[in-house]
């Protein structure tokens, strides 16, 4: 089944509809702990952690391991709500307690790592994030957060290593995160800045090329944009020129390829490319 991603406004409309139904059901059955769980989730997804917190606390406290399919995600959402509200020590205490009960629940260690990162306890955060990776993908009953054992954990490992001045380790972690999930581009920004700072634009470009990141159309466009913003137009042009066969008739590519051609002194090629944009295109120059 392929789910269509809805606009944020429509998603919020559906969640508000859900809230009305859940509130009505809860009035009729006020002791139903499962309704409390769902109320907490809906409030949290509406970015109202203060509203969500009491429902998540009550549902987590009253659900037992016979209902682990609900208790585990209630714990995860409770930790997220506490972190969002800035109640870091309270959330960390909960992580420490529950890590003993559920040593295979990857998300406890991942979220614990984020909490320690927020507290700038980077060395300890590294240990928790390493443990999340070591746990691997948990059983489906734990309602796993996608990437907490892989690309997300490596991204935050890179961030903590970078804060500790461990440049080589940070670069490896960012590269691993991008390799595991090229569709998650955030590690690229930090990686790019480190490579550009330490190696210069030409070697930075060559390194990204050798890693194969420029073969991914999304990462290639992002790299080109980063080079352009850093005032290294030639490398921005090379990113797209060398890999233009990967884009076919993509209008986003045509616009930025034309733009980088113009800025790098290839006026004729750039104008020819821009002329290929369809009328009324969102990229129409």
């Amino acid at each position: 089944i392929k789910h269509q991603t809805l606009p944020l406004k429509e998603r919020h409309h559906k969640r508000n509809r859900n809230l009305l139904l859940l509130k009505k059901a809860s009035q009729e059955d006020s002791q139903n702990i499962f309704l409390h769980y769902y109320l907490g989730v809906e409030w949290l997804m509406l970015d109202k952690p203060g509203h969500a917190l009491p429902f998540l606390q009550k549902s987590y406290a009253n659900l037992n391991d016979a209902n682990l399919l609900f208790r585990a995600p209630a714990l995860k959402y409770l930790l997220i709500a506490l972190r969002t509200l800035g109640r870091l020590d309270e959330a960390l205490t909960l992580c420490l307690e529950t890590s003993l009960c559920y040593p295979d629940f990857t998300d406890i260690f991942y979220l614990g790592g984020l909490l320690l990162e927020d507290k700038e306890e980077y060395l300890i955060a590294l240990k928790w994030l390493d443990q999340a990776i070591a746990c691997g993908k948990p059983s489906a009953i734990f309602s796993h957060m996608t990437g907490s054992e892989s690309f997300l954990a490596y991204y935050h490992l890179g961030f903590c290593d970078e804060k500790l001045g461990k440049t080589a380790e940070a670069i490896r972690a960012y590269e691993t995160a991008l390799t595991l999930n090229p569709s998650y581009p955030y590690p690229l920004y930090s990686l790019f800045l480190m490579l550009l700072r330490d190696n210069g634009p030409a070697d930075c470009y060559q390194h990204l090329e050798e890693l194969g990141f420029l073969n991914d159309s999304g990462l290639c466009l992002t790299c080109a944009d980063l080079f352009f913003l850093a005032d290294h137009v030639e490398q921005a042009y090379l990113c797209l020129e060398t890999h233009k066969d990967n884009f076919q008739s993509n209008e986003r590519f045509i616009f930025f390829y034309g733009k980088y051609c113009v800025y790098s002194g290839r006026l004729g090629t750039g104008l020819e490319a821009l002329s290929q944009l369809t009328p009324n295109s969102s990229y129409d120059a």
Side-chain angles (χ1 to χ4, degrees), residues 57-112:
Q57 288 173 321
K58 190 169 184 178
S59 60
Y60 173 69
N62 287 280
L63 289 164
N64 55 38
D65 285 354
N67 301 117
L68 194 57
L69 192 62
F70 286 89
R71 191 169 202 254
L75 168 60
K76 176 183 69 177
Y77 290 128
L78 176 55
L79 290 170
I80 292 171
L82 288 169
R83 180 181 179 228
T84 307
L85 291 167
R87 295 165 64 167
L88 305 183
D89 290 336
E90 190 176 344
L92 266 175
T93 299
L94 186 57
C95 281
L96 287 165
E97 292 173 354
T98 55
S99 66
L100 300 175
C101 302
Y102 308 114
D104 299 324
F105 190 3
T106 308
D107 294 14
I108 294 175
F109 299 97
Y110 171 70
L111 291 170

Side-chain angles (χ1 to χ4, degrees), residues 154 158 166-179 191:
Y154 278 106
K166 300 163 68 174
T167 301
E169 292 87 342
I171 287 174
R172 283 198 297 270
Y174 288 140
E175 289 173 353
T176 302
L178 288 166
T179 300
L191 175 63

